Every structure is written in C-alpha cells, then in structure tokens.
Amino acid sequence: MTTVNTVDTAALLVRLVVGATMGAHGYNHLWGGGGVDGTARWFSSLGMRPARLHAILSGAGELAAGAALVLGLFTPLAAAFVVGTMAVAGITAHRANGFFVFKDGYEYVLMIAVICAALALVGPGRISLDHAIGWDDVLSGGTGLAIAAGGGLLGAVVLLGATWRPGRVQTGQ
C-alpha cells in the first residue's frame, strides 16, 4: 500500500480545479452562450483562421485536457495543451490589456499556465491514473516540465505562426 502524502493531495486538488475549469471552458466554447458559432466569431475577431475550426478544436481539446487532468492521465501532455492554450489566449486576447485580470489582462492565463507547468514538474501524485499505470515517475520532474512548458509553448508558437492573422477581415467562417 502506497502512502498518500501532502504533495499527492496538493497535486490532486490542483488537477481537480484546473481540470474542471478547463473542461467547463471547453464546454462553453462548444455549447455555451453562442455555441461554436459564437466562439468562432470571437476567434475570428482575434485573428484566428479558420475560426470555426479553432472553435471546435479548442473546445474539444479543453474538454479532453480537463478530463485528463482530473483523472491524472497523461498529465504532462494535458498540461502542455493547457500551457499552449493559455499562451495563445494571453497573446491574442489579453496581452494588449496589460497584466491585471480586472482589465482583461493576462494575469489569469499566466497563472493557469505556470500552475500546469509546475504540476507537470511535481507529477500528478499517487492519486492518479498515471501512478496506477506506473507512468508518474517517468513523466514527472524535468521530463514532465519539458513536455508541459516546452511542448505547450512550441505548440503555441507553431499555431500562432500558422493561423493567427490579426487585423485581417475574414469573410465566412
């Protein structure tokens, strides 16, 4: 029997809160308010092309990453998706507004990204599927951090370079 310690409990709490938050965010992109069409209009206004595809993929990805974090499954990969998503959001939607969240700045997305990178560094804890399968030791520490921070930021750079066209008017979704 493996003893659960305070780090395991802290990792579980972080995974549950961030995972549920990302899942709710993904759900909202797909089915909340304006649904996919509303999310696509917003993404288009930010310069993301093709906006509808981004709306669908971001919603589905946030649901999947959120579920994976809650379960503690492929934790560094789920964290990488969140880091990348927060980097894209920070650059496209929040950067121009400064730091503070009450001014729609990047404070919130920065915190979520750093928390996910730190979670990947520490590992998902013993209360996780990664631990049950025996992957937690392999996918934590420097490897976990490299996957989450490096992979997430690289993904954000590639995505923005390939699809972000701010200031251009798009006709149709």
Side-chain angles (χ1 to χ4, degrees):
M1 172 89 183
T2 305
T3 304
V4 174
N5 61 34
T6 55
V7 174
D8 298 320
T9 304
L12 174 65
L13 291 172
V14 168
R15 288 191 356 256
L16 291 175
V17 170
V18 175
T21 299
M22 291 308 298
H25 201 87
Y27 179 90
N28 190 58
H29 277 185
L30 297 172
W31 299 290
V36 170
D37 291 337
T39 302
R41 283 190 298 276
W42 179 53
F43 281 6
S44 179
S45 76
L46 296 173
M48 300 305 295
R49 312 286 187 251
R52 184 170 180 76
L53 179 62
H54 281 285
I56 292 167
L57 293 179
S58 73
E62 289 167 357
L63 281 171
L69 286 174
V70 166
L71 297 171
L73 181 63
F74 306 122
T75 303
L77 294 175
F81 183 89
V82 174
V83 167
T85 299
M86 295 301 108
V88 169
I91 290 167
T92 62
H94 303 288
R95 176 180 48 93
N97 301 321
F99 179 74
F100 294 106
V101 70
F102 60 84
K103 294 182 179 181
D104 201 26
Y106 59 88
E107 173 184 13
Y108 175 73
V109 296
L110 175 64
M111 292 298 294
I112 289 179
V114 171
I115 286 168
C116 280
L119 176 63
L121 175 65
V122 171
R126 291 183 179 103
I127 310 168
S128 68
L129 289 179
D130 283 343
H131 178 73
I133 310 170
W135 292 346
D136 56 332
D137 288 336
V138 176
L139 295 176
S140 62
T143 302
L145 179 62
I147 292 169
L153 292 174
L154 178 62
V157 167
V158 169
L159 179 78
L160 290 170
T163 67
W164 186 41
R165 302 295 177 262
R168 293 187 188 167
V169 177
Q170 180 182 12
T171 56
Q173 299 295 320

